[in-house]
Amino acid sequence: MTVLVALGANLLIAVAKAVGGLLAGSPALLSEAAHSVADSLNEIFLLAALRRSRRPADRRHPFGYGKERFFWSLLAAVGIFVMGGCFSFFQGLEALKGGAKESHSGYVAGLVVLAVALLSEGVSLLRALHQVHRQQGTVAQGLRDPALRTVLAEDSTAVLGVILAIVGMALHMVTGNVVWEASASLAIGALLVFVAYRLGRDARDQLIGQAADPELSRRIRALLQAQPEIDSVESLLTMQLGLQSLLVAARVDLVPGLDSEEVEDVAVRIKRSVAHTVPEAHQIFLDITDAPTRAAERRGDDDARDAAGSSAAAREHGGS
């Protein structure tokens, strides 16, 4: 719902900014129009992400399609950079080179458009903040919704961008110096490039397989260590598969004296405990051995290394 509200607001504001910018010849207002167009296209990307990421797992994608959200969020970040940031830089540089009109006709209407845009973007930002607050406790592993995160970033930069455009246009009108407005366009471009970089970096980390939140990993490890049948937790690996989907893989040593049936029962119970404590853990894999076996393997490895060292020493002594 938040994405739909943001999309509708951005489309209306983009048209108003574009018309006002063309009539006034304002580089700052045109930069903001490009910003709103980029935001509108990004909302379409995010709607596609929301729809496609809900598809169930199949043979080709046994872990589901949760990472679709991260992929489309990456495309949204690229859209912010290319359409918003680059066009704003272009408008600012053109204004500095004397390409902007010095006539202020239409600037009053442009400022009115920006004031309405500021109100609309502010409402959208408050709605996104409200949804973030409402969802804060529902994602235990700390994975934030990339769609909601992108909307929040877009609304925040939209508010700051409109403020920069208003200041730049107002100072241009007062001083008659286009440098103020060109500087506002360049500042808007720099803001959009920074936001696009941060969003793209987060999406990249999640696409290549980001681990769960450290606090959640500690909870899972503590849960495993608290099981009476587990002697030690040798390793614990986690990976985010989607917004509320987590893969957990652990190698554990069991206490000695358990037969095969008991080991199987213990494995089933441990998986159920992890799934109950961490509902997001949809994929749980346990590599189970008993402590004596692991100790024997370690002794065997040590003996193999010692034998290899003795053999090498003997060859060296024989060669001398």
Side-chain angles (χ1 to χ4, degrees):
M1 186 62 183
T2 300
V3 178
L4 288 173
V5 172
L7 175 59
N10 283 328
L11 287 174
L12 292 176
I13 293 170
V15 173
K17 288 178 180 177
V19 173
L22 290 173
L23 293 177
S26 168
L29 193 51
L30 289 174
S31 296
E32 271 302 295
H35 181 183
S36 295
V37 171
D39 286 351
S40 299
L41 290 178
N42 293 337
E43 306 304 339
I44 296 175
F45 285 153
L46 296 180
L47 287 174
L50 293 174
R51 180 178 179 180
R52 294 178 64 85
S53 64
R54 295 192 182 107
R55 290 181 296 170
D58 53 32
R59 293 184 61 184
R60 293 190 61 187
H61 299 86
F63 294 110
Y65 290 82
K67 288 193 175 185
E68 284 266 14
R69 291 201 180 200
F70 309 144
F71 170 73
W72 291 98
S73 295
L74 179 61
L75 291 186
V78 174
I80 293 174
F81 171 76
V82 174
M83 296 196 60
C86 293
F87 186 81
S88 296
F89 280 128
F90 171 77
Q91 286 294 320
L93 293 175
E94 284 294 308
L96 289 177
K97 290 190 299 184
K101 297 180 181 179
E102 291 298 327
S103 173
H104 295 155
S105 60
Y107 265 47
V108 174
L111 289 173
V112 171
V113 169
L114 288 176
V116 174
L118 181 61
L119 178 62
S120 177
E121 299 287 5
V123 171
S124 182
L125 175 60
L126 290 176
R127 182 180 181 87
L129 289 172
H130 174 71
Q131 187 163 346
V132 169
H133 178 73
R134 188 178 60 186
Q135 292 186 359
Q136 186 175 4
T138 62
V139 186
Q141 77 271 32
L143 172 60
R144 296 168 298 173
D145 185 346
L148 182 57
R149 183 174 65 246
T150 302
V151 171
L152 183 61
E154 288 177 353
D155 289 342
S156 301
T157 54
V159 170
L160 291 176
V162 169
I163 293 174
L164 288 171
I166 290 175
V167 172
M169 290 179 66
L171 290 176
H172 185 190
M173 292 180 64
V174 172
T175 65
N177 192 343
V178 74
V179 172
W180 291 107
E181 198 168 351
S183 300
S185 293
L186 294 175
I188 292 170
L191 178 65
L192 293 177
V193 169
F194 173 74
V195 171
Y197 165 75
R198 292 296 301 270
L199 291 175
R201 186 185 64 179
D202 291 343
R204 177 207 63 188
D205 291 342
Q206 292 164 336
L207 275 174
I208 63 179
Q210 190 175 32
D213 182 81
E215 177 60 28
L216 181 60
S217 296
R218 285 192 289 268
R219 285 175 51 199
I220 297 175
R221 181 177 289 273
L223 173 64
L224 293 175
Q225 292 174 338
Q227 304 301 314
E229 296 87 358
I230 294 182
D231 182 70
S232 64
V233 179
E234 296 296 319
S235 64
L236 175 64
L237 302 176
T238 61
M239 184 174 66
Q240 294 166 346
L241 300 176
L243 176 60
Q244 291 183 323
S245 181
L246 184 69
L247 182 147
V248 177
R251 174 177 292 177
V252 298
D253 287 344
L254 299 183
V255 297
L258 299 177
D259 58 35
S260 58
E261 292 186 0
E262 290 175 321
V263 169
E264 184 177 354
D265 292 340
V266 167
V268 172
R269 184 176 57 79
I270 291 175
K271 288 182 179 181
R272 288 177 178 173
S273 298
V274 174
H276 177 74
T277 305
V278 185
E280 297 82 8
H282 293 166
Q283 301 289 340
I284 304 173
F285 300 93
L286 294 179
D287 182 9
I288 296 179
T289 59
D290 56 52
T293 301
R294 292 287 297 171
E297 290 177 355
R298 295 192 189 98
R299 287 195 300 271
D301 293 340
D302 293 340
D303 293 342
R305 284 193 294 268
D306 292 343
S310 300
S311 177
R315 287 196 301 269
E316 182 180 355
H317 178 72
S320 61

